[in-house]
Amino acid sequence: MHYAHSYTRLSVLALGIAGALACGHAHAAAFQLKENSAKGLGRAFAGSTSAWGDASVVATNPASMRLIGGRQFQADLAAISFSADFQKEEARHAGAGGIGTGGNVSGGNGGDAGMIAPVPAAYFHVPFGENENMHFGVSLQVPFGFKTEYDSDWVGRYHGIKTDLKAIDLGASFSYDVNPYVSFGASVFVEHLTIELSSAIDFGTAISVQAQQQAAALALANGATPAQAAAAAQDIALQLGGQGVAPGLADGRMTISGDNNAIGYVLGTTLSPSENTNIAFSYRSKVKHKITGGDAEFLRPSNPVANGLLPTDQYVNTSGRATVTLPASASVSITHKANEQWTVMADISRTAWAPAFDRVTVDFASAQEDAQLEFGYDDTTFVSLGAEYRLSPTVTLRGGVAYDETPTTDAHRDVRVPDVTRKWLSFGIGWTPSEKVEYNFGYTHLFTTDPSISLVSPTGSTLKGKYDVGGDILAASINYKF
């Protein structure tokens, strides 16, 4: 069954790779997360690694630990509300919005594929040394992650149903202050990556098309004309259809899951040309996850005729290997204290999605062949401007705006990553009731356009339409000095 074998290679492995790497419209480019600080969120992460008094620099730029004061513990929690509502385009010609033979794929728009997700973070910092010019820190944060889930019978089920990715970092940081104006720092972190994803498999189309091809080839071999061969193929399609083996009528399902631990690092330097100005440079390494014990579980069609026509050595539960590389990034952050009330900040960062997301190979342990897929992700830029106003000795107001570029394009966008370039508008407030305790709150609204998709599955089903996407982020933190 050559066609069925090719279908396995294309659809199953494509699902595995796409699901692992394209996890929806998160709140930095693709599934990158910036929500590691309520204080930073309030100013759209302007001054993210150069501002005074934010312990999140333990993870993002250890060189800036000299800016956060003495011994302290900080805990942050962000709640990300993301919505993704798909609206299919009605078919205007044979094949549009349907299967390769011209029929329509049944199913609705999938509901809201988004969710409300918590993103926690925690930081510990202690200075040491004769003049406290050395610093040690520990951090726990979530730099990548997202989850999308559609109704199981939605119109785009062959392109994806569920995607769930989380990357959690546990890091240790050290920095050295050459003097009050120059410092260098580094951290090493262990990153735990987990992936779970699923999609429907259109066995009805795979079996029907393969059977039609065989019937036409046999007819031609026996001297039939092309018209007679086409009629023989049509007869087979009708016979199978009468037994419920037709496009969209004999679906199966595949679920892939896996996890891996890998090590990465962060390097940084922070310069203070004056006591009122900080300039911070930081680099976060890429992290290569080699998933060697992944699982692929198949649910074969319940139709006994369809099930009996499938090869016995394919669509079986198996293990697999894949390499998923999370991208490197570099940033420049500037903070300037204009006077006792006003402080202004700016950030620019660049994320190196390419070439890590140009091509990925998956190797399955069963009869499924290896596959390579092209993703075509582009590098992205994030730019933000923000300010703080000290309203009183205990209350600080914040605000910021940002431009957040997506790595996807119209040619590569799919249901697992309905991502689009967005603009941020952020507000925040800080309250310091005592010398030891500080509370911070931040809010961001994301302004987006409606991204469109136009996809063709390995069995020829097409999916066209637009998304209505949106997002809001709310975060809170407590910092305790001891």
Side-chain angles (χ1 to χ4, degrees):
M1 299 187 71
H2 175 73
Y3 181 84
H5 182 78
S6 298
Y7 173 70
T8 302
R9 176 170 60 86
L10 292 174
S11 68
V12 171
L13 298 180
L15 171 65
I17 301 172
L21 300 181
C23 292
H25 176 84
H27 300 92
F31 52 92
Q32 187 180 22
L33 296 176
K34 285 185 174 291
E35 291 75 12
N36 60 3
S37 165
K39 182 178 286 189
L41 181 69
R43 53 179 184 256
F45 290 98
S48 63
T49 63
S50 61
W52 288 272
D54 188 352
S56 66
V57 298
V58 172
T60 55
N61 184 0
S64 291
M65 285 193 288
R66 66 177 168 88
L67 304 177
I68 63 178
R71 295 177 298 176
Q72 57 189 271
F73 172 79
Q74 181 175 307
D76 289 80
L77 180 63
I80 301 175
S81 175
F82 156 66
S83 62
D85 293 296
F86 177 73
Q87 182 63 47
K88 64 183 177 181
E89 177 183 318
E90 296 300 327
R92 293 188 177 90
H93 57 275
I99 62 170
T101 55
N104 290 326
V105 173
S106 62
N109 288 324
D112 185 355
M115 62 177 298
I116 298 176
V119 180
Y123 312 96
F124 170 80
H125 166 257
V126 57
F128 64 99
E130 182 176 354
N131 298 311
E132 294 193 342
N133 63 337
M134 291 183 284
H135 305 262
F136 175 75
V138 177
S139 62
L140 180 68
Q141 62 163 356
V142 183
F144 297 93
F146 204 68
K147 179 180 178 180
T148 53
E149 188 167 9
Y150 299 86
D151 297 339
S152 61
D153 59 350
W154 82 294
V155 68
R157 60 191 177 274
Y158 305 129
H159 303 276
I161 296 175
K162 179 181 179 180
T163 302
D164 190 356
L165 179 149
K166 299 183 186 71
I168 302 174
D169 290 4
L170 177 62
S173 305
F174 172 81
S175 69
Y176 175 72
D177 304 337
V178 178
N179 54 48
Y181 307 102
V182 179
S183 57
F184 300 93
S187 69
V188 177
F189 59 85
V190 177
E191 185 169 85
H192 180 66
L193 175 69
T194 60
I195 298 171
E196 180 185 352
L197 51 117
S198 64
S199 181
I201 303 175
D202 186 8
F203 287 119
T205 293
I207 294 171
S208 179
V209 172
Q210 186 267 342
Q212 291 178 62
Q213 291 174 339
Q214 289 183 341
L218 180 62
L220 291 172
N222 291 329
T225 65
Q228 292 171 329
Q234 183 64 27
D235 288 341
I236 289 294
L238 292 174
Q239 292 176 27
L240 289 174
Q243 297 175 309
V245 184
L249 298 182
D251 286 356
R253 183 161 173 162
M254 188 197 73
T255 300
I256 284 181
S257 60
D259 62 84
N260 177 254
N261 295 321
I263 296 176
Y265 62 89
V266 177
L267 302 175
T269 183
T270 300
L271 310 176
S272 300
S274 74
E275 62 180 11
N276 294 322
T277 303
N278 302 316
I279 305 173
F281 305 87
S282 60
Y283 172 80
R284 175 189 165 94
S285 72
K286 66 181 181 181
V287 182
K288 182 178 290 187
H289 290 275
K290 295 183 178 180
I291 302 174
T292 58
D295 295 319
E297 298 181 358
F298 292 89
L299 180 65
R300 293 164 72 97
S302 58
N303 184 308
V305 176
N307 199 9
L309 292 173
L310 292 174
T312 58
D313 62 342
Q314 296 178 31
Y315 310 106
V316 295
N317 296 345
T318 184
S319 60
R321 298 181 297 175
T323 298
V324 178
T325 302
L326 299 182
S329 60
S331 67
V332 180
S333 179
I334 302 174
T335 296
H336 175 69
K337 186 178 293 184
N339 52 48
E340 288 299 320
Q341 281 75 44
W342 285 99
T343 303
V344 293
M345 302 93 162
D347 257 47
I348 181 169
S349 62
R350 187 76 171 166
T351 301
W353 293 99
F357 280 71
D358 285 342
R359 178 180 298 174
V360 178
T361 300
V362 173
D363 177 13
F364 280 81
S366 66
Q368 275 93 236
E369 296 181 5
D370 298 351
Q372 291 186 343
L373 291 185
E374 304 289 338
F375 284 91
Y377 268 26
D378 296 326
D379 293 347
T380 60
T381 300
F382 179 91
V383 180
S384 62
L385 299 172
E388 290 186 347
Y389 178 73
R390 191 180 183 190
L391 184 64
S392 72
T394 60
V395 177
T396 300
L397 304 180
R398 301 183 181 93
V401 295
Y403 173 83
D404 193 6
E405 186 179 21
T406 178
T408 64
T409 61
D410 288 344
H412 295 98
R413 184 181 297 112
D414 66 15
V415 302
R416 295 187 184 276
V417 58
D419 196 41
V420 65
T421 295
R422 71 222 69 168
K423 299 177 179 66
W424 295 41
L425 179 62
S426 303
F427 303 97
I429 185 171
W431 178 45
T432 310
S434 71
E435 293 182 356
K436 292 184 175 296
V437 179
E438 179 183 1
Y439 301 95
N440 287 283
F441 303 90
Y443 168 76
T444 291
H445 178 71
L446 304 177
F447 296 89
T448 66
T449 58
D450 296 336
S452 61
I453 60 171
S454 180
L455 305 172
V456 180
S457 77
T459 52
S461 67
T462 62
L463 182 69
K464 296 183 179 181
K466 283 190 174 184
Y467 276 89
D468 180 8
V469 297
D472 293 276
I473 312 164
L474 182 65
S477 72
I478 180 173
N479 182 289
Y480 177 73
K481 297 179 175 62
F482 56 93

